[in-house]
Amino acid sequence: MTPDVRDRVERQSRAARPPGGTARGTVGAPGGGPSGGAGGGAADGAVTGAGRVPESTWARALELISGADEIALACHVSPDGDALGSMLATAFVLRSLGKRVVASFGDRHFAVPRLLRFLPGQEMLTPPGDFPAAPELMITFDSASPDRLGLLRSNVAAAREVIVVDHHPSSSGFGTLGLVDPKASATAMLVEQLIYRLGGTLDRDIATCLYAGLVTDTGSFRHSSTTPAAHQMAARLVATGLRTDEIARELWDRSPFGYLKVLAAAFDRVVLDGALVWTYVTRVDRAAYGLPYAELEGIIDIVRRTDEAEVAAVLKEDDEGAWQVSTRSKGAVDVGALCAELGGGGHHTAAGFTSHDSVEATMAKFLELLGKVR
């Protein structure tokens, strides 16, 4: 560990529990809470309260970042709020520390989803074709495996060092260092801790990115993954002056007219099969109204409301003709485990997988697995 990093870690340990519980260098930084509670400061290694990343792992991450001149950041394909928000927040802080930053995601059609175009910092994004082929240091966000990085998965293999920042239970353990906490409500929670440990501050731009990650992955604090620590983090972010009503409007209360027409087509096909409710959306459905694939993200959250079903699934045909399957559970079924059996993964109550089979064949496989756990 270099002397400057060692000094910083020692300073963090001294500052982790200052009078009033607010750490220096950030707005309402996490104070020390018990491992089952809501705090989790740097001194005891708690990241989100219930989960932990070893202190030695955090120290190594700081050392790698301190020693790198250029840092390449990547999040998963078709980024959601947690993936893109976490990456952009980190990019802001690294740039403030004087680092050269490259940030991207590996979609063949490189474009930020419309719902996330309000996020600040998008001028820092680089198309995957311009991403360093063999980064000195690469940091990935919200990706449980290299495959989730799409076109950038080969860059991971060629990178000298790879820090994986993630909260998925299905995380495969790739990379050379893992800041991975399955107990975290969102990857954004780990990023907030990283920012704190780097000596960064939470300004409104950074807070906007982190808040987008936190509220999207907790379903606006409705999902079972929501912890006391998630609410406390939200308070710290809102304290920077966020307009949470405007963020909510961008994320959930806007859609083009074509979305309503495609939604109607999906509802016309919806099927209730025992404990499962499911439907699908084709490329043809979208093409009729010029609707991008990214606009389909919220359909699963409408279908999952069905009282009679424990599990919901929505198959969405992407631009290459593959079916991206989103699943949700009300808790009795671990859809993360089911999706892992089909090559995907995720969380206990929210997960997904990719299928190159027909709709009928895809659902037959899923129903077979579901029947084994019911």
Side-chain angles (χ1 to χ4, degrees):
M1 184 183 296
T2 60
D4 61 324
V5 173
R6 184 183 298 110
D7 290 345
R8 180 173 292 165
V9 172
E10 291 175 354
R11 287 197 303 271
Q12 289 169 346
S13 296
R14 292 193 298 268
R17 291 183 177 85
T22 299
R24 294 192 294 269
T26 186
V27 175
S35 62
D44 63 5
V47 176
T48 65
R52 289 179 180 271
V53 172
E55 198 60 34
S56 59
T57 303
W58 283 111
R60 177 58 177 160
L62 295 183
E63 185 175 27
L64 290 173
I65 291 170
S66 176
D69 294 322
E70 181 178 74
I71 302 175
L73 312 180
C75 66
H76 65 67
V77 294
S78 300
D80 57 10
D82 195 23
L84 187 60
S86 294
M87 182 172 70
L88 290 174
T90 304
F92 272 121
V93 172
L94 293 178
R95 192 172 63 173
S96 74
L97 295 175
K99 304 296 182 180
R100 295 196 307 274
V101 178
V102 179
S104 189
F105 48 91
D107 283 278
R108 197 169 302 277
H109 303 291
F110 181 73
V112 172
R114 181 190 61 81
L115 295 176
L116 300 177
R117 289 178 189 165
F118 72 94
L119 289 179
Q122 293 181 40
E123 70 280 358
M124 295 186 286
L125 294 176
T126 300
D130 297 330
F131 200 81
E136 173 190 1
L137 174 60
M138 186 170 176
I139 306 178
T140 69
F141 299 88
D142 207 39
S143 299
S145 71
D147 287 345
R148 289 289 287 144
L149 298 170
L151 297 177
L152 298 179
R153 57 183 175 270
S154 61
N155 304 73
V156 172
R160 181 184 302 173
E161 299 281 355
V162 179
I163 300 175
V164 175
V165 186
D166 189 28
H167 73 126
H168 290 94
S170 57
S171 189
S172 63
F174 75 99
T176 57
L177 189 72
L179 300 177
V180 179
D181 181 7
K183 299 292 186 181
S185 300
T187 294
M189 299 189 75
L190 289 150
V191 170
E192 189 205 20
Q193 279 281 333
L194 179 61
I195 291 170
Y196 166 55
R197 291 167 181 272
L198 286 169
T201 58
L202 296 181
D203 61 21
R204 187 178 298 184
D205 284 344
I206 294 171
T208 296
C209 293
L210 293 178
Y211 188 80
L214 185 63
V215 296
T216 51
D217 257 35
T218 61
S220 196
F221 309 106
R222 292 173 298 160
H223 295 168
S224 60
S225 61
T226 305
T227 62
H231 286 290
Q232 290 192 340
M233 176 178 169
R236 292 190 293 273
L237 300 177
V238 173
T240 65
L242 296 187
R243 287 294 304 272
T244 57
D245 57 331
E246 294 178 358
I247 294 174
R249 186 178 308 116
E250 293 289 341
L251 290 172
W252 294 294
D253 296 336
R254 294 183 56 204
S255 62
F257 177 73
Y259 175 78
L260 300 179
K261 303 296 283 188
V262 171
L263 192 63
F267 285 168
D268 191 50
R269 301 182 184 119
V270 71
V271 174
L272 181 62
D273 191 340
L276 173 69
V277 59
W278 66 276
T279 188
Y280 64 94
V281 178
T282 69
R283 283 186 293 178
V284 174
D285 294 333
R286 294 191 289 111
Y289 301 98
L291 194 70
Y293 169 82
E295 295 286 346
L296 306 180
E297 188 67 29
I299 294 179
I300 184 65
D301 291 316
I302 302 175
V303 175
R304 67 190 285 268
R305 299 176 187 175
T306 306
D307 284 339
E308 295 86 349
E310 168 63 29
V311 176
V314 174
L315 293 78
K316 302 164 293 184
E317 190 178 16
D318 65 22
D319 293 334
E320 279 72 47
W323 292 101
Q324 305 298 333
V325 185
S326 297
T327 69
R328 298 290 186 272
S329 166
K330 293 176 181 174
V333 174
D334 184 353
V335 290
L338 294 183
C339 290
E341 289 284 332
L342 296 168
H347 304 281
H348 185 97
T349 58
F353 65 95
T354 299
S355 174
H356 297 280
D357 296 327
S358 66
V359 170
E360 294 76 16
T362 299
M363 291 312 299
K365 291 179 181 179
F366 187 76
L367 280 164
E368 181 182 4
L369 289 173
L370 182 59
K372 291 178 181 179
V373 300
R374 292 292 297 165

